[in-house]
Amino acid sequence: MTEPLRFLELPSAPDVSFWARLAELKLNEYKLSEDPIPCVGHYRACAHEGLASPLTLTSASFDLDTTYESQIRMEGEVVLLNTLESMKTFDRKGAALGAIRKVEASVQSGTCLSDPTALNRFVLVCFADLKQYTFYYWVCVPAAKTADPILSEGFTQGVDQAACEACQEYYHSETKGRAPFWVLEGGEEGGYRCRPIDNGGEGGEDDEIATVAFVDPSHVAGSPGWPLRNFLWLLCGGLCGLRRVRVLCLRHEKLGRFSASRSAWHEVAIPPAGSDTTVNAVGWEHNSKGGLGPRSANLASTLDPKQRASSAMDLNLKLMKWRALPGLKTEEIAGARCLLLGAGTLGCAVARILQGWGCRKITFVDSGRVAFSNPVRQSLFQFEDCLDGGRPKAEAAAESLKRIFPDADAEGVQLSIPMPGHPVREGSDLHRRTLDQVSALDALISQHDVIFLLTDTRESRWLPTVLSLKREKLAVSVALGFDTFLVMRHGCLAQGSDRLGCYFCNDVAAPLNSTKNRTLDQQCTVVRPGLASIASALAVELVSSLLQHPLKGAAPDKSESILGVVPHSIRGFLDSFEQLKLSSPAFGNCVGCSPKILDAYDTEDCEKRTSFLTRVFNEPEYLEEVTGLTELKRKAQEAMDAMEAMDLSDGESGGESGGGGGDDDDDFQLL
C-alpha cells in the first residue's frame, strides 16, 4: 500500500548566546542594514524518544568555519529587519525560493555530491526589539516541492545490527560524524559497505532500487526528518534519475551510537518529473501554537544590560553558597533597607561595600555640598560635582551609585540633623524647620532596617540614636580619630536586661556643640586616608554577620552567626595595626538610650515632646538633668569633697599636703 510520505519539520533552537551575539552585531556592525548575515547551524541524529533533534544556533554560528563532530552542518543566513512592520510584510516566499535556488545550483553543478550538506539551507528572519530585548523570528528550512507527492511503499521499524555497525564505523571514521547522507551497499551474508554519494551515483533503470543511509533528526515513527526531502529530490528527480529508493533512517541511542531498534527502513517511490521544471519551496516553521507564524524570545533577564548587571552583581554571592557557605542567606543583606546618615568619606565607603553584598536600597542623608577637597577621599564624587558651589552630597552620592549599578534603589535626602547644643529660638522659622527635620528623620528611620551613623560630630548622633532604639532598628556607629576608629552596634530593646550600650553609654556628659571655636585642622576630618575604608568595611561586615544571626540585632555580644562572631564594638589602632573587641552594657543614666530619654521622647503629648526637644537643642545640659547624671555627678563630687576633707584632717600635723588639682573635664568621649 502506498501513501504520501510525511516528513517531520526540523525545529529550530537558537540559544541565548546566539541572540546576544546578534544584538551585538546589530548595534555595532550592521546597524540599519538589512543585508543577509551568513551563519551556520547544526543538527544531529535524534537521541530521544519524544523529542526531535533541533537545528541549534549559538554565538559560534556567526563563525562560518564552525564544525562539531557528530553534528551535521547547515549553512544559512539571518535577515535582521529594522521594524516589526517589516517583519509582517516580509517576502517569505521569495526568501524560501532564494534559498532553494542555491540548493538547486549545487545539484546542477554536482557540488552536493561531494558536499551533501549543501542540499539543505535555512533562512532566519528576525526583528530585534533591543529596548525590551525581545526577538521575533521565523525560521525556514526550504525543501523542493514536487508536482506529485513522494510516496512511501513500506516502513519497517528496526534494522540489522550489522547495518548500524557499518554505518557507525563509516560515520565516525570516514566522515568524522559530519556527513548527512551516504550510500549503503551489500547486506545479508556479504556484509554492508558504505561509500559517499559522489562515488558512482549514475542514473539507473526505473525499477532500480538504491540503498542510502540518512542521519535522521526525527523522533516520530514512520516520518523521517525534513532534511531527507531534498536528498530524495536529488536522487530521484534532480540528478541521479532514480525512481525508487530504500532509505535507512539512523537514530541514536543515548550514548551516541546508532540504535538498531530505533532506526528504520523506508521504501520510497518518487513520480517522474513533469514538463514544468519550475522549483517551488516549502518549509516555514510552525510556532508554539501549531500555526504558521513567527516565534518570540524574551531575553530581558539575560540580555538587558541592567538585568545582566543585576545578575552579575549577585553572581559572586551565589557562588559563595556553592562551596564556602552553603547556608548563607544572601537575601538578608541584599534585601535590607539601609539608611546612611552622612554621605562623606564613611558614607561613600559604606555604600560601595553594601553594593558588594547585593544591597539595592540605600538612602543617604546629608546637608552638605561637595567641596573640592572631597573627591580624592570620598569615592562617590568627582571633580564636576564640586563646580558652581558644589552639588548636594546626598543627591550626588545616590546618582553615583546608580551609575555604578543602574538597578540600585538609591536616594539622596538633603536634611540637617537637629543637634543638642545648636540653639533654636522657640516660635521662630528655624524652630519650625527643626521640628520638621525631626519628623522627617523619624520617618526615614522608620522606613529602613539598618541605620548607619556616619556623621562627623558627636552631637549629630544623639537624635538618630534615640530614634533608632525607639523604632527598634539595627544601628551601627562608625567614628574616626587620626589613627584610631570605633565600630559599634547599638543595643536594642529586645535584649531586655542584657541590653548592650549605645554610642553615648560610656560618657557621663551630654553632647555639646563641638563646632564652635575650632581651628582649621579641627574643622576638617583629619585622619589617615586608609582609616575610613577599614572602619567602613568592618561596619558592613558586622551588619552582614548580624543579619545572618537568628536574633539579628538582638544577638548577644561575641555570639556567632554563619559568618563568625558578632562583637558589640571593634576599636582599631592603625599605629600598631591592632584591633580590640570590646563590650559594655547599657548605662542606666545614658543621655542617648536610657529609659527616661525614651519616655521623654515617646510621650503622646506632642507639646511635651516639642518642649523636651527644644530644651535639649537649646540647653544640652538638660539631658543630664533628665537622666539623673546631674544628681549622680553632684553626689560623686560630694563624696570626693568628703574624701579630700578627711585627707586634710589626717594630714594637718604633717605640713603641707601635696596635690595640684587641675580643672575637671567631664566632657570626654569614646574617641
Side-chain angles (χ1 to χ4, degrees):
M1 178 181 177
T2 61
E3 59 181 0
L5 181 61
R6 297 182 179 276
F7 300 88
L8 184 69
E9 182 177 276
L10 181 65
S12 63
D15 72 4
V16 172
S17 69
F18 174 83
W19 299 120
R21 178 60 177 153
L22 187 60
E24 181 182 345
L25 289 172
K26 172 69 174 175
L27 289 173
N28 301 323
E29 187 172 340
Y30 291 97
K31 300 177 182 177
L32 292 175
S33 173
E34 293 185 349
D35 293 336
I37 305 171
C39 60
V40 294
H42 296 82
Y43 69 92
R44 63 175 73 209
C46 177
H48 302 279
E49 292 288 343
L51 187 66
S53 174
L55 175 66
T56 59
L57 300 167
T58 68
S59 59
S61 295
F62 297 99
D63 179 2
L64 301 184
D65 296 327
T66 300
T67 57
Y68 301 104
E69 189 166 336
S70 299
Q71 294 194 42
I72 309 303
R73 170 188 169 96
M74 185 185 295
E75 294 185 0
E77 55 191 26
V78 176
V79 181
L80 192 52
L81 303 174
N82 289 313
T83 65
L84 188 58
E85 287 71 22
S86 298
M87 178 85 175
K88 296 175 182 177
T89 60
F90 180 73
D91 184 10
R92 295 186 292 110
K93 181 178 179 180
L97 284 175
I100 204 63
R101 287 191 182 110
K102 292 179 181 179
V103 174
E104 183 182 23
S106 72
V107 170
Q108 293 175 349
S109 66
T111 303
C112 63
L113 294 177
S114 58
D115 180 16
T117 62
L119 284 169
N120 285 288
R121 297 182 60 85
F122 71 90
V123 177
L124 186 151
V125 56
C126 173
F127 166 68
D129 182 356
L130 297 184
K131 286 186 176 181
Q132 302 297 327
Y133 278 90
T134 300
F135 296 81
Y136 301 90
Y137 69 98
W138 204 348
V139 177
C140 177
V141 180
K145 182 179 180 181
T146 57
D148 296 311
I150 300 172
L151 300 176
S152 172
E153 294 185 333
F155 161 75
T156 304
Q157 184 68 44
V159 301
D160 301 347
Q161 184 65 38
C164 274
E165 290 176 356
C167 290
Q168 182 76 24
E169 177 65 20
Y170 175 80
Y171 182 63
H172 287 283
S173 300
E174 299 294 327
T175 74
K176 304 300 181 184
R178 296 168 186 162
F181 320 101
W182 58 89
V183 176
L184 185 64
E185 297 176 331
E188 302 298 336
E189 297 180 357
Y192 290 93
R193 300 178 301 280
C194 300
R195 63 173 175 82
I197 59 175
D198 65 337
N199 184 2
E202 297 293 333
E205 299 296 329
D206 286 357
D207 59 349
E208 181 180 353
I209 300 178
T211 302
V212 296
F214 160 58
V215 177
D216 189 7
S218 171
H219 69 290
V220 177
S223 296
W226 193 260
L228 178 62
R229 189 162 181 163
N230 283 347
F231 183 48
L232 295 178
W233 175 54
L234 164 71
L235 293 179
C236 304
L239 185 64
C240 301
L242 299 174
R243 293 289 172 261
R244 301 176 66 203
V245 181
R246 192 176 189 221
V247 182
L248 172 56
C249 294
L250 294 163
R251 298 177 184 175
H252 272 158
E253 296 175 335
K254 291 184 179 180
L255 298 179
R257 297 183 61 84
F258 292 135
S259 168
S261 61
R262 298 193 65 234
S263 300
W265 287 108
H266 284 271
E267 308 291 338
V268 178
I270 293 188
S275 57
D276 185 8
T277 59
T278 301
V279 178
N280 292 314
V282 293
W284 286 96
E285 185 181 15
H286 290 72
N287 58 27
S288 58
K289 297 180 180 179
L292 281 173
R295 296 172 177 261
S296 64
N298 188 343
L299 304 179
S301 62
T302 306
L303 292 178
D304 184 341
K306 291 184 180 181
Q307 296 280 354
R308 294 179 67 182
S310 181
S311 298
M313 183 181 187
D314 295 333
L315 178 60
N316 186 58
L317 301 176
K318 293 178 180 179
L319 292 179
M320 288 183 185
K321 301 172 68 173
W322 281 23
R323 295 178 186 271
L325 292 170
L328 182 65
K329 299 177 182 178
T330 57
E331 67 279 0
E332 291 290 343
I333 188 166
R337 299 168 296 175
C338 297
L339 179 65
L340 278 55
L341 302 180
T345 308
L346 289 171
C348 291
V350 166
R352 290 302 308 271
I353 301 168
L354 283 172
Q355 278 197 326
W357 271 105
C359 183
R360 266 74 168 172
K361 178 60 177 176
I362 300 175
T363 302
F364 294 95
V365 172
D366 202 297
S367 62
R369 292 181 175 272
V370 183
F372 283 101
S373 62
N374 294 155
V376 294
R377 297 179 296 111
Q378 300 174 8
S379 59
L380 293 179
F381 305 132
Q382 52 192 3
F383 174 76
E384 288 76 11
D385 296 324
C386 308
L387 303 178
D388 301 322
R391 297 185 60 197
K393 275 190 170 183
E395 174 188 311
E399 289 187 10
S400 182
L401 282 187
K402 292 179 180 179
R403 285 195 299 270
I404 294 166
F405 177 54
D407 202 33
D409 184 8
E411 181 184 359
V413 179
Q414 191 171 15
L415 179 71
S416 294
I417 298 176
M419 296 175 280
H422 293 247
V424 292
R425 184 169 56 85
E426 190 168 1
S428 66
D429 289 340
L430 177 59
H431 183 243
R432 286 189 289 272
R433 287 198 303 271
T434 300
L435 295 178
D436 289 342
Q437 290 164 351
V438 172
S439 299
L441 183 62
D442 194 350
L444 284 169
I445 288 175
S446 299
Q447 294 162 6
H448 291 77
D449 306 309
V450 183
I451 317 301
F452 288 90
L453 281 64
L454 310 172
T455 53
D456 55 5
T457 63
R458 179 170 176 261
E459 63 268 26
S460 63
R461 300 168 187 259
W462 176 78
L463 185 58
T465 296
V466 175
L467 295 176
S468 297
L469 182 61
K470 196 64 200 174
R471 303 306 175 199
E472 299 188 61
K473 304 295 181 178
L474 171 58
V476 175
S477 281
V478 184
L480 304 178
F482 171 68
D483 57 5
T484 62
F485 65 83
L486 173 71
V487 175
M488 170 186 277
R489 61 181 172 107
H490 295 201
C492 64
L493 297 176
Q495 292 172 323
S497 59
D498 296 325
R499 180 162 64 88
L500 297 173
C502 75
Y503 180 77
F504 295 94
C505 278
N506 288 343
D507 290 347
V508 290
L512 304 176
N513 188 343
S514 63
T515 63
K516 294 191 301 184
N517 299 322
R518 295 196 301 179
T519 61
L520 181 61
D521 64 321
Q522 293 172 327
Q523 295 173 29
C524 301
T525 306
V526 180
V527 301
R528 291 178 61 169
L531 197 66
S533 297
I534 296 171
S536 300
L538 288 172
V540 176
E541 293 302 322
L542 176 58
V543 168
S544 66
S545 294
L546 281 168
L547 293 179
Q548 299 297 314
H549 196 283
L551 298 178
K552 301 292 190 293
D557 174 55
K558 295 182 181 179
S559 59
E560 293 192 10
S561 74
I562 193 172
L563 289 173
V565 296
V566 285
H568 177 208
S569 67
I570 306 167
R571 184 181 288 274
F573 306 89
L574 207 54
D575 59 342
S576 59
F577 292 97
E578 291 181 331
Q579 289 180 187
L580 300 177
K581 296 191 291 290
L582 304 174
S583 176
S584 60
F587 178 36
N589 299 97
C590 175
V591 297
C593 69
S594 64
K596 291 181 178 180
I597 294 294
L598 296 180
D599 291 341
Y601 180 84
D602 197 43
T603 176
E604 295 181 359
D605 190 330
C606 293
E607 290 186 3
K608 288 184 178 181
R609 178 188 302 174
T610 299
S611 177
F612 165 72
L613 291 173
T614 302
R615 191 168 179 184
V616 168
F617 299 149
N618 291 321
E619 306 171 38
E621 296 85 356
Y622 177 61
L623 288 171
E624 298 180 14
E625 181 181 331
V626 171
T627 58
L629 273 179
T630 302
E631 179 66 14
L632 183 66
K633 289 197 290 185
R634 186 187 65 78
K635 291 181 178 179
Q637 186 62 46
E638 289 178 352
M640 291 178 65
D641 290 344
M643 292 176 65
E644 184 177 349
M646 291 176 62
D647 289 343
L648 288 174
S649 175
D650 292 342
E652 282 180 353
S653 62
E656 205 175 302
S657 67
D663 293 335
D664 292 335
D665 185 4
D666 292 330
D667 188 15
F668 64 90
Q669 303 181 34
L670 285 169
L671 284 175

